[in-house]
Amino acid sequence: MSDAAIPTVPDAVGPLVGWRAWRIQGDGSPEFGPPRLYSIAFPCEWPVRRALDARCLQTHTPHLPEVPVKRCRCGIYAVRSPKHVFGALYHSEYQVLGEVFLWGRTVVGRKGWRAQRAYPKRLCVLEGSVPDSAIEGLRVYGVSVEVMGRDELAAQPATEPEPPSVWQRVMRALFT
Ligand SMILES: [Zn+2]
């Protein structure tokens, strides 16, 4: 395990949990490789059992390596309620919603946050949208993978902050 993967409890902001959407790339075939979560806005793969570290990809707002910063738009995005990302599921290539742990530097926004580091907490795959092999493939992330219909997905509750003790236990289980 590299140093970059070791989660540390943030000083100011407690561990957060948000919602976001992903697309799946790869179907387990030799040609396309194993299924992996990808961000929607950027062609960014979410690593397995390693935190995703944010990088600034905005070229018009140069700033120090700290990511995210308030005056930029960088960071890993998540929102409080699945309702804010549910619209993404109407684009057929985005089939997964889920909760993510967020930590490190965090910028608070109106609907959620932009964070320095993230890892999925729980994945909800839209029923009928993804082959079973891809759903099984997502289990390498080591978190719960649930299949549900649109209505059930839309009815998922907004997130609550995770107590630090629970969060640390989950992080240890995932990354060691
Ligand atoms: Zn930036």
Side-chain angles (χ1 to χ4, degrees), residues 56-58 61 63 67 69 72-74:
C56 184
L57 301 171
Q58 311 288 337
T61 47
H63 57 79
V67 173
V69 296
C72 194
R73 293 189 297 169
C74 52

Side-chain angles (χ1 to χ4, degrees), residues 7-159:
T8 51
V9 177
D11 295 331
V13 183
L16 296 166
V17 179
W19 280 89
R20 57 172 291 131
W22 292 271
R23 62 192 173 86
I24 300 176
Q25 190 163 308
D27 57 5
S29 69
E31 189 183 357
F32 295 107
R36 292 288 184 266
L37 297 171
Y38 272 72
S39 291
I40 286 171
F42 296 101
C44 166
E45 179 181 334
W46 283 58
V48 168
R49 289 181 184 267
R50 188 164 62 76
L52 176 64
D53 281 296
R55 284 180 304 132
C56 184
L57 301 171
Q58 311 288 337
T59 52
H60 56 284
T61 47
H63 57 79
L64 292 169
E66 286 87 35
V67 173
V69 296
K70 218 166 217 147
R71 69 173 187 276
C72 194
R73 293 189 297 169
C74 52
I76 303 160
Y77 282 66
V79 292
R80 290 185 187 84
S81 166
K83 290 179 179 63
H84 299 315
V85 283
F86 196 65
L89 286 180
Y90 289 94
H91 301 278
S92 56
E93 70 260 50
Y94 313 139
Q95 316 95 338
V96 185
L97 291 191
E99 292 178 79
V100 284
F101 293 109
L102 305 169
W103 70 98
R105 289 176 66 89
T106 308
V107 173
V108 180
R110 201 163 51 85
K111 293 179 178 175
W113 311 270
R114 291 188 276 134
Q116 180 188 1
R117 286 185 172 159
Y119 194 83
K121 179 191 174 193
R122 169 180 174 237
L123 301 173
C124 305
V125 180
L126 182 63
E127 199 167 29
S129 71
V130 178
D132 287 351
S133 59
I135 296 169
E136 282 310 305
L138 291 180
R139 297 193 192 281
V140 296
Y141 285 94
V143 301
S144 147
V145 181
E146 299 160 63
V147 179
M148 54 180 79
R150 252 175 229 286
D151 293 345
E152 192 181 354
L153 247 174
Q156 295 297 305
T159 55

